[in-house]
PDB file of all heavy atoms in Angstrom:
ATOM      1  N   GLN A   1     -10.665  67.207  -3.672  1.00  0.00           N
ATOM      2  CA  GLN A   1     -11.012  68.354  -2.734  1.00  0.00           C
ATOM      3  C   GLN A   1     -10.735  69.709  -3.377  1.00  0.00           C
ATOM      4  O   GLN A   1     -11.599  70.609  -3.225  1.00  0.00           O
ATOM      5  CB  GLN A   1     -10.210  68.176  -1.414  1.00  0.00           C
ATOM      6  CG  GLN A   1     -10.556  69.267  -0.439  1.00  0.00           C
ATOM      7  CD  GLN A   1      -9.877  69.010   0.887  1.00  0.00           C
ATOM      8  OE1 GLN A   1      -9.183  68.032   1.115  1.00  0.00           O
ATOM      9  NE2 GLN A   1     -10.133  69.904   1.886  1.00  0.00           N
ATOM     10  N   LEU A   2      -9.584  69.895  -3.983  1.00  0.00           N
ATOM     11  CA  LEU A   2      -9.208  71.140  -4.613  1.00  0.00           C
ATOM     12  C   LEU A   2     -10.222  71.493  -5.789  1.00  0.00           C
ATOM     13  O   LEU A   2     -10.656  72.655  -5.850  1.00  0.00           O
ATOM     14  CB  LEU A   2      -7.804  71.077  -5.141  1.00  0.00           C
ATOM     15  CG  LEU A   2      -6.696  71.086  -4.140  1.00  0.00           C
ATOM     16  CD1 LEU A   2      -5.357  70.882  -4.830  1.00  0.00           C
ATOM     17  CD2 LEU A   2      -6.723  72.459  -3.414  1.00  0.00           C
ATOM     18  N   ALA A   3     -10.604  70.464  -6.518  1.00  0.00           N
ATOM     19  CA  ALA A   3     -11.510  70.680  -7.599  1.00  0.00           C
ATOM     20  C   ALA A   3     -12.912  71.126  -7.093  1.00  0.00           C
ATOM     21  O   ALA A   3     -13.547  72.059  -7.636  1.00  0.00           O
ATOM     22  CB  ALA A   3     -11.704  69.446  -8.468  1.00  0.00           C
ATOM     23  N   LEU A   4     -13.376  70.535  -6.048  1.00  0.00           N
ATOM     24  CA  LEU A   4     -14.697  70.861  -5.449  1.00  0.00           C
ATOM     25  C   LEU A   4     -14.687  72.218  -4.857  1.00  0.00           C
ATOM     26  O   LEU A   4     -15.590  73.047  -4.952  1.00  0.00           O
ATOM     27  CB  LEU A   4     -15.158  69.824  -4.408  1.00  0.00           C
ATOM     28  CG  LEU A   4     -15.436  68.397  -4.982  1.00  0.00           C
ATOM     29  CD1 LEU A   4     -15.773  67.443  -3.864  1.00  0.00           C
ATOM     30  CD2 LEU A   4     -16.595  68.446  -5.955  1.00  0.00           C
ATOM     31  N   GLU A   5     -13.526  72.550  -4.161  1.00  0.00           N
ATOM     32  CA  GLU A   5     -13.400  73.836  -3.540  1.00  0.00           C
ATOM     33  C   GLU A   5     -13.352  74.977  -4.582  1.00  0.00           C
ATOM     34  O   GLU A   5     -13.901  76.036  -4.305  1.00  0.00           O
ATOM     35  CB  GLU A   5     -12.188  73.873  -2.631  1.00  0.00           C
ATOM     36  CG  GLU A   5     -12.374  72.960  -1.382  1.00  0.00           C
ATOM     37  CD  GLU A   5     -11.152  72.934  -0.481  1.00  0.00           C
ATOM     38  OE1 GLU A   5     -10.052  73.259  -1.023  1.00  0.00           O
ATOM     39  OE2 GLU A   5     -11.252  72.573   0.669  1.00  0.00           O
ATOM     40  N   ARG A   6     -12.762  74.653  -5.761  1.00  0.00           N
ATOM     41  CA  ARG A   6     -12.726  75.723  -6.810  1.00  0.00           C
ATOM     42  C   ARG A   6     -14.158  75.973  -7.306  1.00  0.00           C
ATOM     43  O   ARG A   6     -14.437  77.016  -7.769  1.00  0.00           O
ATOM     44  CB  ARG A   6     -11.822  75.137  -7.953  1.00  0.00           C
ATOM     45  CG  ARG A   6     -10.347  75.399  -7.750  1.00  0.00           C
ATOM     46  CD  ARG A   6      -9.582  75.289  -9.016  1.00  0.00           C
ATOM     47  NE  ARG A   6      -9.768  74.017  -9.654  1.00  0.00           N
ATOM     48  CZ  ARG A   6      -8.944  72.937  -9.456  1.00  0.00           C
ATOM     49  NH1 ARG A   6      -7.837  73.016  -8.621  1.00  0.00           N
ATOM     50  NH2 ARG A   6      -9.096  71.856 -10.104  1.00  0.00           N
ATOM     51  N   ASP A   7     -14.994  74.955  -7.207  1.00  0.00           N
ATOM     52  CA  ASP A   7     -16.398  75.191  -7.601  1.00  0.00           C
ATOM     53  C   ASP A   7     -17.292  75.806  -6.454  1.00  0.00           C
ATOM     54  O   ASP A   7     -18.459  75.955  -6.613  1.00  0.00           O
ATOM     55  CB  ASP A   7     -16.975  73.852  -8.043  1.00  0.00           C
ATOM     56  CG  ASP A   7     -16.844  73.618  -9.545  1.00  0.00           C
ATOM     57  OD1 ASP A   7     -17.619  74.146 -10.358  1.00  0.00           O
ATOM     58  OD2 ASP A   7     -15.861  72.966  -9.943  1.00  0.00           O
ATOM     59  N   GLY A   8     -16.635  76.072  -5.376  1.00  0.00           N
ATOM     60  CA  GLY A   8     -17.313  76.782  -4.292  1.00  0.00           C
ATOM     61  C   GLY A   8     -17.830  75.955  -3.168  1.00  0.00           C
ATOM     62  O   GLY A   8     -18.467  76.454  -2.193  1.00  0.00           O
ATOM     63  N   PHE A   9     -17.617  74.604  -3.173  1.00  0.00           N
ATOM     64  CA  PHE A   9     -18.010  73.723  -2.144  1.00  0.00           C
ATOM     65  C   PHE A   9     -17.082  73.852  -0.941  1.00  0.00           C
ATOM     66  O   PHE A   9     -15.881  74.002  -1.113  1.00  0.00           O
ATOM     67  CB  PHE A   9     -18.136  72.278  -2.601  1.00  0.00           C
ATOM     68  CG  PHE A   9     -19.138  72.027  -3.697  1.00  0.00           C
ATOM     69  CD1 PHE A   9     -18.822  72.073  -5.021  1.00  0.00           C
ATOM     70  CD2 PHE A   9     -20.415  71.749  -3.338  1.00  0.00           C
ATOM     71  CE1 PHE A   9     -19.761  71.854  -5.974  1.00  0.00           C
ATOM     72  CE2 PHE A   9     -21.386  71.445  -4.324  1.00  0.00           C
ATOM     73  CZ  PHE A   9     -21.024  71.540  -5.680  1.00  0.00           C
ATOM     74  N   VAL A  10     -17.622  73.670   0.253  1.00  0.00           N
ATOM     75  CA  VAL A  10     -16.816  73.468   1.506  1.00  0.00           C
ATOM     76  C   VAL A  10     -16.630  72.017   1.629  1.00  0.00           C
ATOM     77  O   VAL A  10     -17.653  71.260   1.646  1.00  0.00           O
ATOM     78  CB  VAL A  10     -17.600  74.064   2.701  1.00  0.00           C
ATOM     79  CG1 VAL A  10     -16.705  73.751   3.960  1.00  0.00           C
ATOM     80  CG2 VAL A  10     -17.761  75.578   2.524  1.00  0.00           C
ATOM     81  N   VAL A  11     -15.386  71.546   1.726  1.00  0.00           N
ATOM     82  CA  VAL A  11     -15.064  70.128   1.779  1.00  0.00           C
ATOM     83  C   VAL A  11     -14.399  69.688   3.039  1.00  0.00           C
ATOM     84  O   VAL A  11     -13.417  70.275   3.375  1.00  0.00           O
ATOM     85  CB  VAL A  11     -14.234  69.687   0.533  1.00  0.00           C
ATOM     86  CG1 VAL A  11     -13.943  68.187   0.494  1.00  0.00           C
ATOM     87  CG2 VAL A  11     -14.961  70.138  -0.774  1.00  0.00           C
ATOM     88  N   THR A  12     -14.898  68.629   3.645  1.00  0.00           N
ATOM     89  CA  THR A  12     -14.229  67.934   4.755  1.00  0.00           C
ATOM     90  C   THR A  12     -13.822  66.573   4.163  1.00  0.00           C
ATOM     91  O   THR A  12     -14.653  65.757   3.846  1.00  0.00           O
ATOM     92  CB  THR A  12     -15.136  67.732   5.970  1.00  0.00           C
ATOM     93  OG1 THR A  12     -15.548  68.974   6.465  1.00  0.00           O
ATOM     94  CG2 THR A  12     -14.405  66.936   7.014  1.00  0.00           C
ATOM     95  N   ALA A  13     -12.527  66.360   4.037  1.00  0.00           N
ATOM     96  CA  ALA A  13     -11.956  65.129   3.403  1.00  0.00           C
ATOM     97  C   ALA A  13     -11.319  64.302   4.487  1.00  0.00           C
ATOM     98  O   ALA A  13     -10.532  64.717   5.249  1.00  0.00           O
ATOM     99  CB  ALA A  13     -10.937  65.512   2.310  1.00  0.00           C
ATOM    100  N   MET A  14     -11.687  63.007   4.453  1.00  0.00           N
ATOM    101  CA  MET A  14     -11.191  62.067   5.433  1.00  0.00           C
ATOM    102  C   MET A  14     -10.647  60.822   4.739  1.00  0.00           C
ATOM    103  O   MET A  14     -11.171  60.389   3.687  1.00  0.00           O
ATOM    104  CB  MET A  14     -12.307  61.662   6.342  1.00  0.00           C
ATOM    105  CG  MET A  14     -12.782  62.770   7.279  1.00  0.00           C
ATOM    106  SD  MET A  14     -11.366  63.211   8.443  1.00  0.00           S
ATOM    107  CE  MET A  14     -12.081  64.720   9.119  1.00  0.00           C
ATOM    108  N   PRO A  15      -9.587  60.184   5.306  1.00  0.00           N
ATOM    109  CA  PRO A  15      -8.929  59.043   4.592  1.00  0.00           C
ATOM    110  C   PRO A  15      -9.487  57.656   4.879  1.00  0.00           C
ATOM    111  O   PRO A  15      -9.018  56.660   4.331  1.00  0.00           O
ATOM    112  CB  PRO A  15      -7.463  59.166   5.135  1.00  0.00           C
ATOM    113  CG  PRO A  15      -7.677  59.649   6.534  1.00  0.00           C
ATOM    114  CD  PRO A  15      -8.827  60.599   6.493  1.00  0.00           C
ATOM    115  N   ASP A  16     -10.405  57.538   5.876  1.00  0.00           N
ATOM    116  CA  ASP A  16     -10.909  56.258   6.174  1.00  0.00           C
ATOM    117  C   ASP A  16     -12.309  56.288   6.722  1.00  0.00           C
ATOM    118  O   ASP A  16     -12.846  57.451   7.017  1.00  0.00           O
ATOM    119  CB  ASP A  16     -10.069  55.580   7.205  1.00  0.00           C
ATOM    120  CG  ASP A  16      -9.948  56.346   8.495  1.00  0.00           C
ATOM    121  OD1 ASP A  16     -10.880  56.252   9.308  1.00  0.00           O
ATOM    122  OD2 ASP A  16      -8.918  57.006   8.740  1.00  0.00           O
ATOM    123  N   GLY A  17     -12.988  55.162   6.814  1.00  0.00           N
ATOM    124  CA  GLY A  17     -14.454  55.178   7.175  1.00  0.00           C
ATOM    125  C   GLY A  17     -14.702  55.638   8.581  1.00  0.00           C
ATOM    126  O   GLY A  17     -15.740  56.371   8.829  1.00  0.00           O
ATOM    127  N   LEU A  18     -13.906  55.334   9.579  1.00  0.00           N
ATOM    128  CA  LEU A  18     -14.170  55.664  10.907  1.00  0.00           C
ATOM    129  C   LEU A  18     -14.022  57.177  11.168  1.00  0.00           C
ATOM    130  O   LEU A  18     -14.911  57.777  11.839  1.00  0.00           O
ATOM    131  CB  LEU A  18     -13.172  54.940  11.818  1.00  0.00           C
ATOM    132  CG  LEU A  18     -13.418  53.368  11.979  1.00  0.00           C
ATOM    133  CD1 LEU A  18     -12.374  52.746  12.772  1.00  0.00           C
ATOM    134  CD2 LEU A  18     -14.834  53.104  12.563  1.00  0.00           C
ATOM    135  N   SER A  19     -12.968  57.792  10.599  1.00  0.00           N
ATOM    136  CA  SER A  19     -12.841  59.223  10.693  1.00  0.00           C
ATOM    137  C   SER A  19     -13.920  59.902   9.881  1.00  0.00           C
ATOM    138  O   SER A  19     -14.375  61.030  10.280  1.00  0.00           O
ATOM    139  CB  SER A  19     -11.423  59.671  10.216  1.00  0.00           C
ATOM    140  OG  SER A  19     -11.269  59.421   8.849  1.00  0.00           O
ATOM    141  N   GLY A  20     -14.383  59.303   8.757  1.00  0.00           N
ATOM    142  CA  GLY A  20     -15.472  59.848   8.022  1.00  0.00           C
ATOM    143  C   GLY A  20     -16.752  59.854   8.826  1.00  0.00           C
ATOM    144  O   GLY A  20     -17.527  60.840   8.762  1.00  0.00           O
ATOM    145  N   LEU A  21     -17.068  58.761   9.584  1.00  0.00           N
ATOM    146  CA  LEU A  21     -18.271  58.722  10.415  1.00  0.00           C
ATOM    147  C   LEU A  21     -18.188  59.853  11.467  1.00  0.00           C
ATOM    148  O   LEU A  21     -19.145  60.490  11.772  1.00  0.00           O
ATOM    149  CB  LEU A  21     -18.381  57.319  11.072  1.00  0.00           C
ATOM    150  CG  LEU A  21     -19.649  57.130  11.903  1.00  0.00           C
ATOM    151  CD1 LEU A  21     -20.895  57.420  11.156  1.00  0.00           C
ATOM    152  CD2 LEU A  21     -19.598  55.736  12.549  1.00  0.00           C
ATOM    153  N   GLU A  22     -17.012  59.999  12.130  1.00  0.00           N
ATOM    154  CA  GLU A  22     -16.784  60.997  13.094  1.00  0.00           C
ATOM    155  C   GLU A  22     -17.029  62.409  12.501  1.00  0.00           C
ATOM    156  O   GLU A  22     -17.713  63.271  13.100  1.00  0.00           O
ATOM    157  CB  GLU A  22     -15.415  60.968  13.755  1.00  0.00           C
ATOM    158  CG  GLU A  22     -15.239  59.701  14.602  1.00  0.00           C
ATOM    159  CD  GLU A  22     -13.747  59.637  15.157  1.00  0.00           C
ATOM    160  OE1 GLU A  22     -12.976  60.518  14.843  1.00  0.00           O
ATOM    161  OE2 GLU A  22     -13.476  58.665  15.818  1.00  0.00           O
ATOM    162  N   ALA A  23     -16.519  62.616  11.357  1.00  0.00           N
ATOM    163  CA  ALA A  23     -16.702  63.904  10.677  1.00  0.00           C
ATOM    164  C   ALA A  23     -18.159  64.204  10.330  1.00  0.00           C
ATOM    165  O   ALA A  23     -18.643  65.324  10.397  1.00  0.00           O
ATOM    166  CB  ALA A  23     -15.773  64.015   9.434  1.00  0.00           C
ATOM    167  N   PHE A  24     -18.825  63.101   9.942  1.00  0.00           N
ATOM    168  CA  PHE A  24     -20.286  63.303   9.541  1.00  0.00           C
ATOM    169  C   PHE A  24     -21.034  63.724  10.772  1.00  0.00           C
ATOM    170  O   PHE A  24     -21.870  64.627  10.718  1.00  0.00           O
ATOM    171  CB  PHE A  24     -20.793  61.942   9.019  1.00  0.00           C
ATOM    172  CG  PHE A  24     -22.328  62.014   8.904  1.00  0.00           C
ATOM    173  CD1 PHE A  24     -22.887  62.606   7.774  1.00  0.00           C
ATOM    174  CD2 PHE A  24     -23.093  61.382   9.845  1.00  0.00           C
ATOM    175  CE1 PHE A  24     -24.277  62.624   7.666  1.00  0.00           C
ATOM    176  CE2 PHE A  24     -24.496  61.425   9.730  1.00  0.00           C
ATOM    177  CZ  PHE A  24     -25.063  62.056   8.628  1.00  0.00           C
ATOM    178  N   ARG A  25     -20.756  63.061  11.933  1.00  0.00           N
ATOM    179  CA  ARG A  25     -21.526  63.333  13.125  1.00  0.00           C
ATOM    180  C   ARG A  25     -21.219  64.781  13.679  1.00  0.00           C
ATOM    181  O   ARG A  25     -22.035  65.426  14.234  1.00  0.00           O
ATOM    182  CB  ARG A  25     -21.224  62.249  14.191  1.00  0.00           C
ATOM    183  CG  ARG A  25     -21.877  60.947  13.822  1.00  0.00           C
ATOM    184  CD  ARG A  25     -21.463  59.835  14.785  1.00  0.00           C
ATOM    185  NE  ARG A  25     -22.206  58.641  14.580  1.00  0.00           N
ATOM    186  CZ  ARG A  25     -21.937  57.455  15.113  1.00  0.00           C
ATOM    187  NH1 ARG A  25     -20.820  57.310  15.768  1.00  0.00           N
ATOM    188  NH2 ARG A  25     -22.663  56.387  14.945  1.00  0.00           N
ATOM    189  N   ALA A  26     -19.941  65.144  13.460  1.00  0.00           N
ATOM    190  CA  ALA A  26     -19.508  66.504  13.934  1.00  0.00           C
ATOM    191  C   ALA A  26     -19.979  67.638  13.106  1.00  0.00           C
ATOM    192  O   ALA A  26     -20.286  68.715  13.662  1.00  0.00           O
ATOM    193  CB  ALA A  26     -17.987  66.506  14.126  1.00  0.00           C
ATOM    194  N   ASN A  27     -20.027  67.400  11.779  1.00  0.00           N
ATOM    195  CA  ASN A  27     -20.243  68.474  10.846  1.00  0.00           C
ATOM    196  C   ASN A  27     -21.648  68.470  10.212  1.00  0.00           C
ATOM    197  O   ASN A  27     -22.054  69.549   9.621  1.00  0.00           O
ATOM    198  CB  ASN A  27     -19.198  68.432   9.778  1.00  0.00           C
ATOM    199  CG  ASN A  27     -17.823  68.707  10.308  1.00  0.00           C
ATOM    200  OD1 ASN A  27     -17.441  69.793  10.791  1.00  0.00           O
ATOM    201  ND2 ASN A  27     -16.988  67.660  10.339  1.00  0.00           N
ATOM    202  N   ARG A  28     -22.278  67.381  10.161  1.00  0.00           N
ATOM    203  CA  ARG A  28     -23.619  67.239   9.517  1.00  0.00           C
ATOM    204  C   ARG A  28     -23.600  67.862   8.109  1.00  0.00           C
ATOM    205  O   ARG A  28     -24.256  68.873   7.827  1.00  0.00           O
ATOM    206  CB  ARG A  28     -24.701  67.856  10.358  1.00  0.00           C
ATOM    207  CG  ARG A  28     -24.944  67.073  11.655  1.00  0.00           C
ATOM    208  CD  ARG A  28     -25.449  65.701  11.331  1.00  0.00           C
ATOM    209  NE  ARG A  28     -25.463  64.795  12.526  1.00  0.00           N
ATOM    210  CZ  ARG A  28     -25.985  63.574  12.548  1.00  0.00           C
ATOM    211  NH1 ARG A  28     -26.406  62.999  11.446  1.00  0.00           N
ATOM    212  NH2 ARG A  28     -25.968  62.850  13.690  1.00  0.00           N
ATOM    213  N   PRO A  29     -22.840  67.308   7.163  1.00  0.00           N
ATOM    214  CA  PRO A  29     -22.670  67.825   5.868  1.00  0.00           C
ATOM    215  C   PRO A  29     -23.981  67.767   5.014  1.00  0.00           C
ATOM    216  O   PRO A  29     -24.931  67.092   5.374  1.00  0.00           O
ATOM    217  CB  PRO A  29     -21.553  66.976   5.196  1.00  0.00           C
ATOM    218  CG  PRO A  29     -21.777  65.653   5.908  1.00  0.00           C
ATOM    219  CD  PRO A  29     -22.108  66.051   7.319  1.00  0.00           C
ATOM    220  N   ASP A  30     -24.014  68.507   3.942  1.00  0.00           N
ATOM    221  CA  ASP A  30     -25.168  68.490   3.082  1.00  0.00           C
ATOM    222  C   ASP A  30     -25.162  67.304   2.140  1.00  0.00           C
ATOM    223  O   ASP A  30     -26.246  66.899   1.708  1.00  0.00           O
ATOM    224  CB  ASP A  30     -25.115  69.769   2.165  1.00  0.00           C
ATOM    225  CG  ASP A  30     -25.314  71.035   3.022  1.00  0.00           C
ATOM    226  OD1 ASP A  30     -26.240  71.152   3.762  1.00  0.00           O
ATOM    227  OD2 ASP A  30     -24.370  71.947   2.931  1.00  0.00           O
ATOM    228  N   ILE A  31     -24.002  66.706   1.880  1.00  0.00           N
ATOM    229  CA  ILE A  31     -23.916  65.563   1.040  1.00  0.00           C
ATOM    230  C   ILE A  31     -22.631  64.795   1.353  1.00  0.00           C
ATOM    231  O   ILE A  31     -21.665  65.438   1.851  1.00  0.00           O
ATOM    232  CB  ILE A  31     -23.907  65.954  -0.484  1.00  0.00           C
ATOM    233  CG1 ILE A  31     -23.965  64.691  -1.422  1.00  0.00           C
ATOM    234  CG2 ILE A  31     -22.751  66.831  -0.845  1.00  0.00           C
ATOM    235  CD1 ILE A  31     -24.320  65.061  -2.787  1.00  0.00           C
ATOM    236  N   ALA A  32     -22.645  63.481   1.173  1.00  0.00           N
ATOM    237  CA  ALA A  32     -21.427  62.667   1.422  1.00  0.00           C
ATOM    238  C   ALA A  32     -21.036  61.900   0.159  1.00  0.00           C
ATOM    239  O   ALA A  32     -21.861  61.337  -0.487  1.00  0.00           O
ATOM    240  CB  ALA A  32     -21.774  61.631   2.541  1.00  0.00           C
ATOM    241  N   LEU A  33     -19.744  61.923  -0.108  1.00  0.00           N
ATOM    242  CA  LEU A  33     -19.078  61.191  -1.186  1.00  0.00           C
ATOM    243  C   LEU A  33     -18.258  60.140  -0.541  1.00  0.00           C
ATOM    244  O   LEU A  33     -17.310  60.458   0.128  1.00  0.00           O
ATOM    245  CB  LEU A  33     -18.254  62.125  -2.065  1.00  0.00           C
ATOM    246  CG  LEU A  33     -18.827  63.358  -2.745  1.00  0.00           C
ATOM    247  CD1 LEU A  33     -17.835  64.097  -3.552  1.00  0.00           C
ATOM    248  CD2 LEU A  33     -20.064  62.970  -3.570  1.00  0.00           C
ATOM    249  N   LEU A  34     -18.598  58.911  -0.747  1.00  0.00           N
ATOM    250  CA  LEU A  34     -17.942  57.861  -0.095  1.00  0.00           C
ATOM    251  C   LEU A  34     -17.328  56.821  -1.077  1.00  0.00           C
ATOM    252  O   LEU A  34     -18.039  56.256  -1.892  1.00  0.00           O
ATOM    253  CB  LEU A  34     -18.961  57.024   0.837  1.00  0.00           C
ATOM    254  CG  LEU A  34     -19.839  57.892   1.715  1.00  0.00           C
ATOM    255  CD1 LEU A  34     -20.822  56.991   2.479  1.00  0.00           C
ATOM    256  CD2 LEU A  34     -19.000  58.719   2.720  1.00  0.00           C
ATOM    257  N   ASP A  35     -16.029  56.651  -1.007  1.00  0.00           N
ATOM    258  CA  ASP A  35     -15.381  55.619  -1.738  1.00  0.00           C
ATOM    259  C   ASP A  35     -15.717  54.264  -1.156  1.00  0.00           C
ATOM    260  O   ASP A  35     -15.792  54.079   0.040  1.00  0.00           O
ATOM    261  CB  ASP A  35     -13.827  55.780  -1.764  1.00  0.00           C
ATOM    262  CG  ASP A  35     -13.156  54.763  -2.667  1.00  0.00           C
ATOM    263  OD1 ASP A  35     -13.566  54.598  -3.810  1.00  0.00           O
ATOM    264  OD2 ASP A  35     -12.201  54.173  -2.151  1.00  0.00           O
ATOM    265  N   VAL A  36     -15.969  53.257  -2.062  1.00  0.00           N
ATOM    266  CA  VAL A  36     -16.436  51.904  -1.555  1.00  0.00           C
ATOM    267  C   VAL A  36     -15.233  51.299  -0.771  1.00  0.00           C
ATOM    268  O   VAL A  36     -15.539  50.738   0.388  1.00  0.00           O
ATOM    269  CB  VAL A  36     -16.765  51.056  -2.765  1.00  0.00           C
ATOM    270  CG1 VAL A  36     -16.957  49.606  -2.337  1.00  0.00           C
ATOM    271  CG2 VAL A  36     -18.051  51.562  -3.422  1.00  0.00           C
ATOM    272  N   MET A  37     -14.066  51.294  -1.279  1.00  0.00           N
ATOM    273  CA  MET A  37     -12.904  50.598  -0.702  1.00  0.00           C
ATOM    274  C   MET A  37     -12.076  51.528   0.174  1.00  0.00           C
ATOM    275  O   MET A  37     -11.019  52.017  -0.268  1.00  0.00           O
ATOM    276  CB  MET A  37     -12.059  49.977  -1.724  1.00  0.00           C
ATOM    277  CG  MET A  37     -12.831  48.954  -2.595  1.00  0.00           C
ATOM    278  SD  MET A  37     -13.524  47.620  -1.597  1.00  0.00           S
ATOM    279  CE  MET A  37     -12.042  46.704  -1.144  1.00  0.00           C
ATOM    280  N   VAL A  38     -12.507  51.859   1.377  1.00  0.00           N
ATOM    281  CA  VAL A  38     -11.691  52.644   2.345  1.00  0.00           C
ATOM    282  C   VAL A  38     -11.456  51.762   3.534  1.00  0.00           C
ATOM    283  O   VAL A  38     -12.229  50.879   3.928  1.00  0.00           O
ATOM    284  CB  VAL A  38     -12.310  53.901   2.720  1.00  0.00           C
ATOM    285  CG1 VAL A  38     -12.427  54.861   1.555  1.00  0.00           C
ATOM    286  CG2 VAL A  38     -13.778  53.775   3.262  1.00  0.00           C
ATOM    287  N   PRO A  39     -10.289  51.992   4.231  1.00  0.00           N
ATOM    288  CA  PRO A  39      -9.968  51.163   5.402  1.00  0.00           C
ATOM    289  C   PRO A  39     -10.767  51.477   6.621  1.00  0.00           C
ATOM    290  O   PRO A  39     -11.413  52.532   6.729  1.00  0.00           O
ATOM    291  CB  PRO A  39      -8.504  51.436   5.637  1.00  0.00           C
ATOM    292  CG  PRO A  39      -8.331  52.820   5.105  1.00  0.00           C
ATOM    293  CD  PRO A  39      -9.210  52.950   3.901  1.00  0.00           C
ATOM    294  N   GLY A  40     -10.761  50.600   7.601  1.00  0.00           N
ATOM    295  CA  GLY A  40     -11.372  50.851   8.855  1.00  0.00           C
ATOM    296  C   GLY A  40     -12.872  50.477   8.861  1.00  0.00           C
ATOM    297  O   GLY A  40     -13.354  49.522   9.484  1.00  0.00           O
ATOM    298  N   LEU A  41     -13.634  51.171   8.165  1.00  0.00           N
ATOM    299  CA  LEU A  41     -15.042  51.019   7.926  1.00  0.00           C
ATOM    300  C   LEU A  41     -15.270  51.293   6.439  1.00  0.00           C
ATOM    301  O   LEU A  41     -15.176  52.409   5.945  1.00  0.00           O
ATOM    302  CB  LEU A  41     -15.847  51.962   8.798  1.00  0.00           C
ATOM    303  CG  LEU A  41     -17.375  51.844   8.761  1.00  0.00           C
ATOM    304  CD1 LEU A  41     -17.738  50.515   9.524  1.00  0.00           C
ATOM    305  CD2 LEU A  41     -18.024  53.044   9.545  1.00  0.00           C
ATOM    306  N   ASP A  42     -15.612  50.224   5.673  1.00  0.00           N
ATOM    307  CA  ASP A  42     -15.715  50.406   4.236  1.00  0.00           C
ATOM    308  C   ASP A  42     -16.844  51.320   3.885  1.00  0.00           C
ATOM    309  O   ASP A  42     -17.741  51.585   4.700  1.00  0.00           O
ATOM    310  CB  ASP A  42     -15.867  49.084   3.537  1.00  0.00           C
ATOM    311  CG  ASP A  42     -17.132  48.333   3.837  1.00  0.00           C
ATOM    312  OD1 ASP A  42     -18.199  48.742   3.299  1.00  0.00           O
ATOM    313  OD2 ASP A  42     -17.165  47.497   4.704  1.00  0.00           O
ATOM    314  N   GLY A  43     -16.852  51.866   2.643  1.00  0.00           N
ATOM    315  CA  GLY A  43     -17.883  52.808   2.208  1.00  0.00           C
ATOM    316  C   GLY A  43     -19.247  52.406   2.349  1.00  0.00           C
ATOM    317  O   GLY A  43     -20.171  53.143   2.717  1.00  0.00           O
ATOM    318  N   VAL A  44     -19.543  51.054   2.000  1.00  0.00           N
ATOM    319  CA  VAL A  44     -20.875  50.527   2.073  1.00  0.00           C
ATOM    320  C   VAL A  44     -21.396  50.539   3.523  1.00  0.00           C
ATOM    321  O   VAL A  44     -22.523  50.949   3.862  1.00  0.00           O
ATOM    322  CB  VAL A  44     -20.983  49.186   1.399  1.00  0.00           C
ATOM    323  CG1 VAL A  44     -22.349  48.545   1.702  1.00  0.00           C
ATOM    324  CG2 VAL A  44     -20.747  49.220  -0.043  1.00  0.00           C
TER     325      VAL A  44
END
């Protein structure tokens, strides 16, 4: 997150798939980076 923000990106970082889905619906980001192995709702 720090590295991306240094390059000028606005970053919403979430620790699991369910919170990631909520953040996606709330923020409608321009791009999503998803780790495959995250708890709750896996990346795939």
Side-chain angles (χ1 to χ4, degrees):
Q1 179 175 1
L2 287 173
L4 293 176
E5 288 175 344
R6 280 197 299 269
D7 269 277
F9 294 93
V10 175
V11 181
T12 298
M14 292 295 169
D16 60 77
L18 291 174
S19 64
L21 181 60
E22 292 177 359
F24 170 78
R25 289 171 171 168
N27 297 290
R28 293 295 171 177
D30 297 304
I31 187 168
L33 305 180
L34 311 178
D35 183 48
V36 171
M37 300 299 292
V38 290
L41 185 68
D42 66 79
V44 173

